[in-house]
Amino acid sequence: MTGYFFGLNFNNLDYFAISSIPIFGMLLNSKRMEFKTADLIKDVLIIILFVIITIAIGLYILTYIGKPDNPLIPQYLISEPFFLYSTIIIGIGIGLPFLFINRTEKLDEINEIGTKK
């Protein structure tokens, strides 16, 4: 009605992205040489940490760009600039560990020929 989305408008796509964090943790863990449950849990926690950090940064950005221009809406209310703002912030949080974490490639049988174990 007012054309603003107040606070963080979590929709079903956000819930789907947050619930698929273990799948992204498995993708992040899939390039390791050995599978360890502790490494998988560590990767999932790293992704959750990055998502929390990007949501905090997104909320901080909203304090500057989220002020409504309509004089009938109080200035202390923070609004999202566009509809899928929180989804994009969560997606960036999920994607950042894939850019920053150095993963080692798995050795397959072709690459192991001629090497001593």
Side-chain angles (χ1 to χ4, degrees):
M1 187 179 240
T2 60
Y4 294 100
F5 307 99
F6 295 105
L8 282 178
N9 183 20
F10 286 104
N11 55 17
N12 290 336
L13 190 58
D14 296 339
Y15 295 129
F16 176 72
I18 290 172
S19 66
S20 64
I21 286 176
I23 295 171
F24 289 112
M26 286 186 264
L27 287 174
L28 191 61
N29 195 19
S30 67
K31 294 287 184 173
R32 295 192 189 269
M33 297 179 81
E34 294 180 11
F35 174 77
K36 294 180 183 174
T37 308
D39 288 338
L40 176 64
I41 293 171
K42 183 178 77 167
D43 289 338
V44 170
L45 290 176
I46 286 171
I47 292 174
I48 290 172
L49 178 72
F50 271 93
V51 168
I52 290 172
I53 289 171
T54 55
I55 287 176
I57 291 171
L59 285 173
Y60 182 71
I61 290 171
L62 277 181
T63 60
Y64 293 108
I65 65 172
K67 301 289 182 186
D69 296 331
N70 191 343
L72 299 176
I73 299 174
Q75 291 296 314
Y76 58 83
L77 290 177
I78 296 174
S79 61
E80 290 185 354
F82 50 90
F83 179 61
L84 293 176
Y85 179 79
S86 59
T87 306
I88 291 173
I89 294 295
I90 292 170
I92 290 171
I94 289 173
L96 281 177
F98 289 96
L99 296 175
F100 291 130
I101 294 179
N102 188 10
R103 298 175 293 172
T104 57
E105 293 290 328
K106 278 187 178 177
L107 294 176
D108 55 359
E109 291 179 12
I110 295 173
N111 292 334
E112 289 181 3
I113 295 175
T115 60
K116 292 183 180 180
K117 291 187 178 181

